Amino acid sequence: QDHPVIVAIQRLRSVSWWEMTWNRNFTLLHWAAQEDVPELCRYTMARGADPHFRDDSGFSALDYAMGIGESPTGVRESRPMNTKALSELTRNKPQEITDPEVLSRFEAAAMMAILGDREGSF
């Protein structure tokens, strides 16, 4: 079975960021920030994700990258700061990219990061 994050990335090929439906508004960018996956942060922001957008629990991707947020079971928790994701989230103003070649490179890097040794649930 495919990793759910890979499935979500593949779905983004055919729909815009805001056409995606997210459980409790916990987006792929929230997950990338929580799991410290800067490549996925870069890709989702290129697709239109906003690091300030809050999930139903009131947390943004920036919060998750800073180690503030909830576990997948809804328990409020404090984690170590995810410096790589935080750096990517704060590096540049989020700007949607429409160049298919650039998006393809970002997508490939994100998928490789997920398919590496990363564990986690979405």
Side-chain angles (χ1 to χ4, degrees):
Q1 186 178 24
D2 287 334
H3 192 291
V5 173
I6 299 298
V7 172
I9 291 171
Q10 292 168 336
R11 178 142 163 65
L12 276 172
R13 289 180 190 156
S14 60
V15 299
S16 75
W17 177 260
W18 295 106
E19 289 175 307
M20 292 286 286
T21 302
W22 308 102
N23 184 24
R24 300 183 61 229
N25 284 317
F26 183 85
T27 70
L28 201 51
L29 182 58
H30 288 93
W31 184 88
Q34 185 177 54
E35 298 299 320
D36 205 17
V37 186
E39 301 88 349
L40 190 54
C41 292
R42 186 176 313 121
Y43 174 67
T44 56
M45 288 193 305
R47 292 303 314 254
D50 178 357
H52 300 283
F53 177 77
R54 297 191 177 280
D55 63 14
D56 289 355
S57 299
F59 298 105
S60 69
L62 289 163
D63 293 328
Y64 285 106
M66 289 188 287
I68 305 163
E70 289 188 352
S71 72
T73 59
V75 175
R76 197 170 288 246
E77 62 182 13
S78 180
R79 296 175 159 203
M81 188 178 296
N82 296 327
T83 56
K84 292 182 235 165
L86 186 58
S87 175
E88 191 60 45
L89 292 171
T90 58
R91 176 189 316 236
N92 297 310
K93 181 180 177 187
Q95 181 177 0
E96 191 166 357
I97 296 173
T98 57
D99 183 331
E101 191 172 307
V102 173
L103 283 173
S104 180
R105 284 197 313 267
F106 284 1
E107 179 183 307
M111 286 184 150
M112 290 303 295
I114 298 304
L115 293 173
D117 293 44
R118 299 195 178 272
E119 292 293 322
S121 60
F122 183 72

